[in-house]
Amino acid sequence: MSDDVLVVTRQRQLAELWGVTAWRVVANVLVAVVLGVVGGLLWSWATPLPSYVVGDDMTATITERGNTSIVVTDVAYTFITGAVGLVLGVLGWLSLYRKGWVVIVAPLLASLAAAVVTWRVGLLVTEGGFVERLARAQAGDVVHVDLALRSASALLVAPFAAITPIMLLAAFWPEPRVDRGDAPRDSSD
């Protein structure tokens, strides 16, 4: 067999495989996991963490600004997973819009998986053990708080963001033209 025939055969096999809904769903989930890993790395890298300062009397204090910035971890997580959810919603629509109800369920579950992966990867790659580090701290030490998701409801941002483009595209995506031939006319015309 020539190389051209093998390439054409391989392309046909991939096209047939892509035609199966289950493979499209698997591709969406794999993209979600990859985006979740990237999101987790971005969350751990880009989130500024407030810190406590250990005083001479061994009391740990945090500034008022530092105290209010503890919520920054949740805000950063929300923005990152919101963006991931939007991307997954658009990709889900483009790959599944002719597959019926699957276009809604698969991107929602994939975006929820991406949110969980982002959360777990972010925690995995950052230093933990705030309590132990604070207990070992000496006077004058600065101890950063742990990266943490303090609001479990932030996990739902990605699915909400994923459903938004799906709803908009479902409403405004042009319907395929159907050739109806000569439809019977209503006699009231």
Side-chain angles (χ1 to χ4, degrees):
M1 251 190 234
S2 71
D3 288 339
D4 293 337
V5 173
L6 287 174
V7 168
V8 170
T9 303
R10 177 70 67 188
Q11 288 174 345
R12 284 186 185 153
Q13 290 172 340
L14 289 175
E16 289 173 7
L17 188 62
W18 185 247
V20 178
T21 303
W23 283 108
R24 290 180 184 214
V25 171
V26 167
N28 276 279
V29 171
L30 289 176
V31 168
V33 169
V34 169
L35 288 177
V37 169
V38 171
L41 295 174
L42 181 62
W43 183 45
S44 68
W45 174 75
T47 304
L49 298 174
S51 57
Y52 284 85
V53 177
V54 179
D56 291 334
D57 59 351
M58 299 306 289
T59 59
T61 58
I62 189 169
T63 64
E64 186 176 338
R65 182 179 177 141
N67 200 19
T68 58
S69 67
I70 287 177
V71 77
V72 168
T73 57
D74 286 358
V75 172
Y77 176 85
T78 300
F79 279 118
I80 291 167
T81 56
V84 167
L86 285 172
V87 169
L88 290 173
V90 170
L91 291 177
W93 173 264
L94 293 175
S95 63
L96 296 167
Y97 77 95
R98 292 185 184 257
K99 301 299 180 179
W101 60 269
V102 177
V103 73
I104 295 171
V105 174
L108 283 176
L109 294 178
S111 61
L112 183 60
V116 170
V117 169
T118 298
W119 174 39
R120 300 312 298 169
V121 167
L123 296 180
L124 185 67
V125 299
T126 57
E127 181 182 19
F130 171 72
V131 174
E132 292 83 17
R133 287 184 284 121
L134 189 59
R136 288 191 312 262
Q138 301 298 320
D141 286 351
V142 175
V143 182
H144 292 284
V145 299
D146 292 340
L147 181 70
L149 187 61
R150 289 166 178 81
S151 173
S153 62
L155 290 169
L156 298 177
V157 169
F160 277 118
I163 200 66
T164 302
I166 293 171
M167 290 188 314
L168 290 172
L169 289 167
F172 299 112
W173 193 265
E175 292 287 329
R177 295 193 71 127
V178 177
D179 187 22
R180 298 182 183 177
D182 290 328
R185 296 190 138 215
D186 188 12
S187 60
S188 63
D189 285 345

